[in-house]
Every structure is written in structure tokens, then in C-alpha cells.
Amino acid sequence: MELLKYCMLCPRKCGINRYEKKGVCGANYKLKVAYYSLHKWEEPPISGSNGSGTIFFSNCNLKCIYCQNKRISIDGYGKYITQKRLGEIMLELQEKKAHNINLVTPTHYVPQIAKVLHKIKNKELKIPVVYNTSSYESIGTLMVMKNLVDIYLADLRYYDDELGKKYSLCDNYFENATMAIDEMYRQVGKFQLDKNGMLKKGLVVRVLILPGHIDDAKKIIKYLYVTYKDDIFISIMNQYTPVNKCKYENLNRKVTEKEYDEVINYALDLGVVNAFQQVGDTAMESFIPKFDKKVV
């Protein structure tokens, strides 16, 4: 595939030939998947009662020092599969009554994924496709997925670019992510729910509150609400889980109830209506999938 011979799929713009070596993301030209399953811990109109058909792709173009899935994102755990097998996995999840196909961290495999979806979407594959991303994306890559993605499930991690450099080892996160989210919204428009309240089209933007950085989270929420009003869902998350010892002490604890409540109240005061909040102790390791190569 031509896009892999001079890889510019993400804002890092490695420009390397992935048939010869790996990019910063850690991926070569082969599809690599760590795990797939019916996942019930996404936002309610995505998980529903049956679960979202999640496919966790190995490797990642961000290098978040606090990543709860470090085993696959940084260490590259997983199994190489063919495009044919990827299609089979999608159809298997549909057969198991998944509400959608949820592509988790797919950016560096977009050419292969798009080729699979062009063959089966709206033919054998009838359920919505979710693109689950950190939003550190290039517009050109998202354009490859136009008309193939129904729902964008996007993070907006940092307002302050210095935090992006410090915690995810990337430059200009906010500029790149907000341009990417603009393109996502342009493609899917205002959210649409089916008769059962399940999301069939639209944009959900997640705001993961990091311990000690509630002001940054507030700025992100304000930006999203001013920009998109009630046309998108904002998911305000308290589930940050310190699974690896970090050199920054604030990252070695959970978000406090006081911090989370302050952010929620700020969103309410702004007038945010279409939002999800997490109730109870969601910051626990049971939310982290147990990756097992055998299931691929």
C-alpha cells in the first residue's frame, strides 16, 4: 500500500517506509491486533445492553506515560493477522449481537482497515462503525475513512500543549486534535440516535480528567461546548487509573471526588446538556481488558 511506503498517517509524519522498518508508533506494514470482545464499559448509547464490538489494535502514535494499556500501546503486544481475518472478526462480533464495531487506536492501520470496510460495510456488515481515537490524527488519514465511519469516539486530552509534551511526548497536541475533531464532525454531523436510544451516527468527545489538572479539563469542556453546543456528546471521565509508577507524583493517584465534582459543576454552569458522567468507583483496574492473544 502506497500510504505505508512513506508514512504520514499521523502528525508525527515519520515519512518512513513501513515495509522496511517501524514508525514511531511501533507498527510495520502488517495488521496487528491484541484483543477483541463485546465491551460493556463504553458510553451507554455505544455499549448498550449487548456491548460494543471492540477490536484493540496493537501499538499507538502517542506515548502516554500513564497509559493503562501500555502492554499493547507501547510494548506492542498482539498478533499479526490478515485483512481477511480482520473482516471475519468484525462479522463474528456482529453475529454475537454487538451494537457496533469499535476500532480502538486504529490510526496507524487506516489503509488496511479502510480496504476491509470497503468490501463488507453495508453488505455483510450492517452495524455502525466506531473510530475510537486519541485524536492525534492527520486530516488526510481521516479523509480515507470518510463514509466508512459512523461514530467518532474521540479524546481531547490536553488544552495546554506543554502537558501533551510532558505526558504524551508529542508536539502541538491541541491544534492537531481540534483540527481532527472538526473533520470528524464535518463527516458525521449532529448525533443521531435510533429508536432504542443507541447512537447510530455522531461524535462523542471524551475528556479524561488527570489528577491535578482540573483547570485544563475545564478549558477543554468550554472549547467543546462553545464550538459544537448540543450537537455532540461530551463524556467527562474520572476513570484515570495509576497502573505504572510515574515520575510526576500527581499521576500516581486517582482523581478525587472533589476534583471530579468541580469539573461536572463547571460543565453544568456552562449549560452543557448532552454529556456523560461516571458515577462511583470507575477508576479501577477491572476496566482494563485482560489481553489474551489466543482470542485473535
Side-chain angles (χ1 to χ4, degrees):
M1 295 183 182
E2 291 300 315
L3 289 174
L4 301 180
K5 291 181 179 178
Y6 186 77
C7 190
M8 304 286 277
L9 288 174
C10 84
R12 293 193 186 275
K13 299 188 183 304
C14 293
I16 58 104
N17 186 341
R18 282 171 51 189
Y19 287 92
E20 297 177 354
K21 61 180 181 178
K22 296 177 180 179
V24 173
C25 63
N28 59 21
Y29 68 96
K30 298 177 183 178
L31 271 171
K32 197 174 189 182
V33 169
Y35 183 78
Y36 71 94
S37 71
L38 293 176
H39 187 54
K40 296 188 176 183
W41 300 110
E42 307 287 30
E43 287 70 10
I46 292 176
S47 287
S49 56
N50 297 341
S52 176
T54 50
I55 303 172
F56 289 85
F57 292 95
S58 305
N59 306 114
C60 183
N61 64 337
L62 283 188
K63 301 298 174 187
C64 302
I65 62 175
Y66 53 80
C67 182
Q68 67 180 23
N69 292 331
K70 178 178 179 291
R71 189 180 179 198
I72 66 166
S73 64
I74 307 297
D75 299 339
Y77 174 86
K79 180 180 178 181
Y80 290 116
I81 64 170
T82 63
Q83 291 175 35
K84 181 175 182 290
R85 178 62 184 138
L86 179 61
E88 290 170 351
I89 288 171
M90 292 181 184
L91 296 177
E92 180 184 326
L93 289 166
Q94 178 176 253
E95 183 67 23
K96 290 180 177 179
K97 306 301 182 184
H99 292 291
N100 43 62
I101 297 300
N102 187 345
L103 308 170
V104 183
T105 321
T107 310
H108 40 294
Y109 300 117
V110 156
Q112 301 98 312
I113 294 168
K115 193 170 181 180
V116 172
L117 287 173
H118 275 297
K119 288 182 178 179
I120 66 173
K121 185 172 168 60
N122 299 323
K123 298 168 188 172
E124 298 104 312
L125 186 67
K126 307 290 188 182
I127 56 178
V129 173
V130 180
Y131 191 96
N132 189 332
T133 174
S134 71
S135 299
Y136 196 55
E137 300 274 2
S138 295
I139 302 301
T141 301
L142 293 173
M143 287 293 292
V144 174
M145 299 301 291
K146 185 178 179 182
N147 299 323
L148 297 174
V149 171
D150 303 287
I151 300 161
Y152 280 102
L153 183 54
D155 295 339
L156 191 47
R157 299 272 179 97
Y158 315 106
Y159 188 93
D160 183 350
D161 279 333
E162 289 304 310
L163 295 181
K165 291 179 183 178
K166 185 177 180 181
Y167 295 150
S168 294
L169 313 185
C170 67
D171 294 321
N172 303 317
Y173 174 84
F174 185 76
E175 179 183 3
N176 283 293
T178 52
M179 286 193 302
I181 289 170
D182 253 358
E183 173 59 23
M184 296 175 203
Y185 179 74
R186 192 187 71 78
Q187 289 185 20
V188 298
K190 182 176 180 177
F191 69 85
Q192 300 174 29
L193 301 174
D194 67 17
K195 63 182 180 180
N196 298 313
M198 295 300 297
L199 196 59
K200 61 180 183 179
K201 200 172 185 67
L203 170 63
V204 178
V205 183
R206 289 172 160 174
V207 181
L208 176 65
I209 302 171
L210 293 177
H213 292 298
I214 61 172
D215 287 342
D216 200 69
K218 290 178 182 178
K219 289 175 183 176
I220 291 170
I221 292 168
K222 183 175 182 179
Y223 167 82
L224 290 170
Y225 188 63
V226 167
T227 305
Y228 302 106
K229 291 297 183 183
D230 299 317
D231 289 351
I232 69 169
F233 283 109
I234 301 174
S235 183
I236 306 172
M237 307 174 78
N238 71 346
Q239 70 181 54
Y240 173 80
T241 305
V243 293
N244 304 299
K245 181 71 175 176
C246 290
K247 62 180 179 180
Y248 302 109
E249 202 53 45
N250 61 297
L251 296 184
N252 293 320
R253 66 172 176 85
K254 298 177 181 180
V255 173
T256 66
E257 187 175 339
K258 181 180 178 181
E259 286 175 316
Y260 189 62
D261 287 347
E262 185 172 334
V263 175
I264 292 295
N265 289 332
Y266 176 81
L268 291 172
D269 289 343
L270 274 180
V272 176
V273 175
N274 295 324
F276 302 108
Q277 68 179 94
Q278 294 180 314
V279 179
D281 188 14
T282 54
M284 57 185 179
E285 291 188 37
S286 61
F287 278 69
I288 303 172
K290 300 297 183 184
F291 299 112
D292 183 348
K293 194 181 297 187
K294 289 184 294 185
V295 302
V296 177

